[in-house]
Amino acid sequence: MDLVPALDEPLKKVLGPPTAKVMAEHLGLHTVGDLLHHYPRRYEERGQLTHLADLPMDEHVTVVAMVAEARLHSFASAKAPRGKGQRLEVTITDGSGRLQLVFFGNGVHKPHKELLPGTRAMFAGKVSVFNRRLQLAHPAYELLRDESEEAVESWAGALIPLYPATAKLESWKIGKAIQTVLPSAQEAVDPLPESLSEGRGLVPLPEALLKIHRPHTKADIEDARARLKWDEAFVLQVALARRRHADAQLPAVARRPAPDGLLTAFDARLPFTLTEGQQQVSREIFADLATEHPMHRLLQGEVGSGKTMVALRAMLAVVDAGGQAAMLAPTEVLAQQHHRSIVEMMGELAEGGMLGGAEHATKVVLLTGSMGAAARRQALLDLVTGEAGIVIGTHALIEDKVQFHDLGLVVVDEQHRFGVEQRDALRGKGKQPPHLLVMTATPIPRTVAMTVFGDLETSVLDQLPAGRSPIASHVVPAADKPHFLARAWQRVREEVENGHQAYVVCPRIGDEEDDPKKGKAKSPEDEAEKRPPLAVLDVAEQLAKGPLKGLSVEVLHGRMHPDDKDAVMRRFAAGDTDVLVATTVIEVGVNVPNATAMVIMDADRFGVSQLHQLRGRVGRGSAPGLCLLVTEMPEASPARQRLGAVASTLDGFELSRIDLEQRREGDVLGQAQSGARTSLRMLAVIEDEEIIAQARQEAAALVERDPELTELPGLRTALDALLDEEREQYLEKG
């Protein structure tokens, strides 16, 4: 069935080319249907005003307020040397705070006539700071006149929708465009099965669209939101349920470990017992591997919860059953690290075909892009003959040349760093689809797991193995309290004097290629943002000559030659280096139990989950860890609040909630993590946990009954709209 013509109508025809162009370029809106689904961000009551006290810096805002005073000033400038320059300063108030508006030059005449004290209007513009006071320069404004004969009370109570807007298109202009297309809402085809919407008391879709854009009461808004959230959750969960259903139809080779094989031999030589959680998750994985459909499992575990051990046991089980296992790591440093630690854990079990190898041994090979030709040839040969049961590598594993004897399991480490195409290419190397285990150390709240990884079963490791130490985290406000930074370096020296080591992490490398445009600021929260982020090469030099003089300081970053990187990591792991100054290449998987301190420079430039990951590199041994978050951000800034949150808890799940609440969800389906358009416009994955869980159940039951959705043309239409080309591929490749 085609999309409904009325909703498919290009905006160019309805609103004219200039407006349509701005909507397409800045808001990603192309059709009448797109515009109807561009919902208000919030509503203002005319009688009740926005809090001017809470304005966010550097954002486009729309406020409803009253003019308190207006003053016209004359001044001399280069353009108006005789004191003929004019500046209009208007102060508006909403009871919670005051805000200054400024207009210059010829732009002062109209507002000077219109913005008289006592006038109420909507103002839109970008919030900036001048002389330590918030202001809007040259804001657009719309006077709120009572044009009809309505009673004052109903006028004051009317709800004004405020839309996500841009500098080129103010909220009220979007509102007017929506009023033009609103009659088309009657044509909207309902994607929800009737039994579902009636059973849950949801209003019909056309009514929901009318109420969201033109509510008369707050109850209208609630009705509309409840309905539109269900649409989003349900259509998304149906897409994921169909994906799971299709996967369940695929054939796979069941892989059951031999009773007294490699896995048994490995378990027997472990110097510790697995945690309860590791045992439970292993049982779930082995049950999946024993079925004749490919496993699709997401293993999420806190940094250091022992995911690698669980993955290794799964790989050994597959090798036991005659297959091969491949582990895909996002960086060479990490691939080498995994290879080293797995070979160490396995001992003589990793020496298959060699003298001294154990009876059940297999070969564990490493395959990365920078290996020498001879070593690479040997690794490829070991894979194609089946000599190597386990291969660990970067995306070099995906190249056409790489052939497996019998690929049975793919383990992907740090899922979010791999493109779907890459995983897909590796999965295509099995004679039948291999089993897939995806690991992440970024804790994902349950609802996000249901939404983003809805086609994967989820296992969670949340206990830390015995012997891991607590990590103390503190924010170091370098600008407000420089002596705190001096003390930080002193603490690093103390750790080294006690026989330990430290990391210093910087956002940038510092060789020219990497140098961002000097004047470019990421966000003018503060002067701190005006300079380029601190760089590894500069910081290492300053520390070696200054506060850490006399200690051995080395650098590590992504553009070094792989052999050099490996040599640096080996020296650090061996304890020959006191302080390693690095970029985020150490974020994942680097394991040096003797490193107890970490100083993160310009910590505000990193995301919450990234800081949590980095911090997980210390406290990996028996000595307590210390993580210092250095920032020049002012105390009240959102960046400082974010760092405060990271310092206050070690619970990754709690942090991932905070992170999500601050960042919103990005495009949950596709790879577009930002931008004006997201497949979730109404649904907030944290708040709407219940709706998502219920929608998942309903979707699974529906797809079980009718995988092709033959009885629900409206739902198929909505799925087509959701799964445009790019997202369709994304889901296809899972």
Side-chain angles (χ1 to χ4, degrees):
M1 176 182 159
D2 290 327
L3 277 175
V4 178
L7 297 194
D8 223 10
E9 187 89 29
L11 289 173
K12 199 155 54 179
K13 281 190 176 172
V14 189
L15 303 175
T19 308
K21 187 172 179 227
V22 176
M23 288 200 167
E25 284 175 10
H26 294 275
L27 297 169
L29 308 174
H30 303 276
T31 63
V32 168
D34 290 345
L35 182 55
L36 285 174
H37 288 291
H38 186 72
Y39 307 132
R41 180 177 283 167
R42 56 195 172 86
Y43 301 85
E44 281 297 357
E45 292 176 63
R46 282 182 167 136
Q48 164 202 326
L49 301 172
T50 342
H51 288 303
L52 292 182
D54 304 334
L55 287 182
M57 268 302 296
D58 201 36
E59 270 191 32
H60 280 279
V61 297
T62 304
V63 295
V64 180
M66 183 182 286
V67 176
E69 55 180 327
R71 289 189 182 155
L72 194 57
H73 301 271
S74 299
F75 61 91
S77 70
K79 286 185 181 169
R82 297 210 184 96
K84 295 236 172 110
Q86 290 197 307
R87 181 175 80 244
L88 175 66
E89 288 178 5
V90 176
T91 306
I92 58 174
T93 177
D94 68 349
S96 77
R98 293 164 86 84
L99 179 66
Q100 182 106 30
L101 316 177
V102 286
F103 300 87
F104 294 100
N106 295 336
V108 303
H109 306 308
K110 186 167 175 268
H112 189 218
K113 277 206 265 318
E114 294 183 336
L115 297 178
L116 305 171
T119 309
R120 295 166 59 82
M122 275 199 280
F123 301 93
K126 198 171 187 180
V127 183
S128 57
V129 170
F130 181 71
N131 276 347
R132 298 190 155 238
R133 286 166 65 191
L134 291 182
Q135 70 166 27
L136 296 181
H138 279 285
Y141 62 87
E142 174 104 325
L143 300 180
L144 294 176
R145 298 193 179 97
D146 182 6
E147 287 161 3
S148 69
E149 294 301 304
E150 286 175 340
V152 173
E153 285 95 70
S154 71
W155 183 86
L159 294 162
I160 305 168
L162 296 185
Y163 290 90
T166 71
K168 298 265 191 298
L169 207 58
E170 290 95 12
S171 168
W172 54 83
K173 287 188 183 156
I174 297 171
K176 283 178 180 162
I178 284 174
Q179 295 301 354
T180 308
V181 301
L182 206 49
S184 309
Q186 294 304 335
E187 311 281 330
V189 176
D190 203 324
L192 297 189
E194 218 170 289
S195 57
L196 191 155
S197 43
E198 284 177 4
R200 296 189 178 273
L202 301 170
V203 301
L205 182 57
E207 186 183 328
L209 289 170
L210 283 171
K211 284 182 166 175
I212 201 80
H213 292 298
R214 226 187 224 169
H216 293 301
T217 63
K218 287 185 177 168
D220 283 353
I221 300 170
E222 286 316 304
D223 286 351
R225 281 192 168 150
R227 162 66 216 231
L228 296 167
K229 281 181 176 189
W230 253 97
D231 276 17
E232 281 176 16
F234 185 70
V235 173
L236 180 55
Q237 291 301 338
V238 167
L240 294 164
R242 289 182 77 189
R243 171 92 185 93
R244 287 196 299 277
H245 185 269
D247 281 341
Q249 313 307 310
L250 292 174
V253 180
R255 310 279 179 177
R256 296 181 183 86
D260 285 319
L262 186 57
L263 180 62
T264 312
F266 174 76
D267 284 349
R269 49 168 293 146
L270 278 180
F272 51 81
T273 30
L274 297 174
T275 65
E276 185 67 33
Q278 283 173 317
Q279 291 175 18
Q280 172 57 33
V281 169
S282 291
R283 284 194 290 274
E284 292 170 1
I285 291 171
F286 290 156
D288 284 357
L289 290 174
T291 63
E292 292 183 353
H293 301 295
M295 160 170 85
H296 285 105
R297 189 166 282 280
L298 171 71
L299 171 57
Q300 41 170 333
E302 278 288 14
V303 177
S305 57
K307 291 185 301 299
T308 311
M309 173 61 73
V310 169
L312 175 55
R313 292 184 73 243
M315 294 196 285
L316 295 173
V318 168
V319 174
D320 249 356
Q324 290 168 294
M327 184 182 227
L328 212 52
T331 63
E332 293 210 353
V333 168
L334 192 51
Q336 288 160 345
Q337 177 92 25
H338 275 320
H339 180 253
R340 228 181 356 252
S341 64
I342 282 174
V343 168
E344 274 166 24
M345 284 196 262
M346 287 176 64
E348 74 269 17
L349 296 175
E351 295 167 4
M354 295 185 237
L355 277 173
E359 177 196 353
H360 299 293
T362 186
K363 235 183 186 181
V364 180
V365 299
L366 176 69
L367 190 64
T368 61
S370 63
M371 282 166 77
R376 188 177 171 77
R377 253 198 317 275
Q378 185 58 52
L380 290 172
L381 188 66
D382 288 341
L383 284 181
V384 77
T385 59
E387 190 81 9
I390 293 178
V391 57
I392 293 147
T394 54
H395 53 270
L397 277 177
I398 296 163
E399 290 172 11
D400 293 343
K401 288 193 211 96
V402 181
Q403 306 234 311
F404 290 85
H405 176 63
D406 179 12
L407 180 61
L409 170 67
V410 175
V411 178
V412 178
D413 191 19
E414 286 312 317
Q415 130 78 26
H416 62 283
R417 292 163 172 245
F418 274 103
V420 175
E421 290 73 22
Q422 293 168 309
R423 287 208 310 271
D424 202 41
L426 190 57
R427 276 189 2 202
K429 291 187 178 290
K431 294 189 175 69
Q432 287 194 321
H435 298 283
L436 176 69
L437 179 65
V438 167
M439 301 199 297
T440 176
T442 309
I444 305 165
R446 192 174 82 101
T447 41
V448 183
M450 284 195 294
T451 315
V452 185
F453 302 107
D455 55 337
L456 300 174
E457 297 299 324
T458 306
S459 297
V460 178
L461 275 176
D462 47 10
Q463 300 167 272
L464 288 190
R468 292 298 304 260
S469 305
I471 306 170
S473 309
H474 303 285
V475 178
V476 177
D480 312 351
K481 298 179 176 159
H483 58 287
F484 276 35
L485 185 58
R487 175 72 186 119
W489 301 127
Q490 214 177 324
R491 281 292 286 115
V492 169
R493 292 193 85 99
E494 287 164 15
E495 289 297 311
V496 173
E497 279 157 19
N498 291 332
H500 297 300
Q501 292 156 280
Y503 297 100
V504 176
V505 182
C506 307
R508 206 163 57 90
I509 297 174
D511 47 12
E512 286 354 1
E513 254 182 284
D514 197 57
D515 219 282
K517 299 280 180 288
K518 281 283 187 271
K520 231 178 164 187
K522 273 170 68 175
S523 108
E525 274 196 341
D526 187 66
E527 276 308 304
E529 283 279 343
K530 295 285 194 288
R531 60 167 173 71
L534 290 171
V536 167
L537 301 176
D538 308 341
V539 169
E541 193 182 345
Q542 288 160 11
L543 291 176
K545 289 179 179 166
L548 302 184
K549 197 173 176 178
L551 303 185
S552 69
V553 177
E554 287 211 62
V555 299
L556 179 70
H557 58 75
R559 274 212 290 277
M560 287 163 63
H561 187 279
D563 293 350
D564 298 341
K565 276 195 272 199
D566 204 35
V568 168
M569 270 320 299
R570 278 178 192 278
R571 285 195 292 274
F572 190 64
D576 302 340
T577 307
D578 297 323
V579 179
L580 185 62
V581 182
T583 55
T584 55
V585 290
I586 61 153
E587 177 186 350
V588 203
V590 173
N591 184 21
V592 180
N594 191 44
T596 51
M598 176 177 285
V599 180
I600 302 179
M601 308 303 291
D602 277 344
D604 46 89
R605 310 271 175 132
F606 298 98
V608 170
S609 61
Q610 205 174 19
L611 291 169
H612 182 58
Q613 287 276 11
L614 286 166
R615 169 170 66 182
R617 303 295 118 219
V618 295
R620 297 178 80 85
S622 51
L626 171 69
C627 178
L628 301 173
L629 306 168
V630 179
T631 177
E632 294 187 0
M633 284 289 145
E635 200 161 347
S637 62
R640 269 287 278 284
Q641 289 162 3
R642 207 168 63 230
L643 296 180
V646 174
S648 68
T649 177
L650 289 172
D651 180 341
F653 286 93
E654 179 54 33
L655 285 175
S656 65
R657 286 184 80 100
I658 293 169
D659 191 22
L660 257 180
E661 280 160 8
Q662 290 192 340
R663 265 187 324 132
R664 293 284 301 166
E665 292 82 15
D667 192 330
V668 164
L669 259 190
Q671 293 294 39
Q673 282 304 304
S674 60
R677 247 183 119 185
T678 148
S679 57
L680 299 189
R681 297 182 177 87
M682 188 55 81
L683 202 65
V685 288
I686 294 286
E687 292 157 31
D688 299 321
E689 189 162 348
E690 231 166 85
I691 295 178
I692 292 170
Q694 291 168 4
R696 183 180 165 112
Q697 277 179 336
E698 294 266 9
L702 172 72
V703 171
E704 199 59 45
R705 284 197 311 275
D706 178 13
E708 293 306 309
L709 311 178
T710 40
E711 299 157 24
L712 294 165
L715 178 54
R716 285 213 308 275
T717 301
L719 272 177
D720 293 342
L722 175 72
L723 305 178
D724 52 32
E725 284 301 293
E726 172 206 10
R727 296 200 187 111
E728 180 73 80
Q729 284 179 337
Y730 182 81
L731 277 184
E732 272 307 301
K733 295 179 176 168

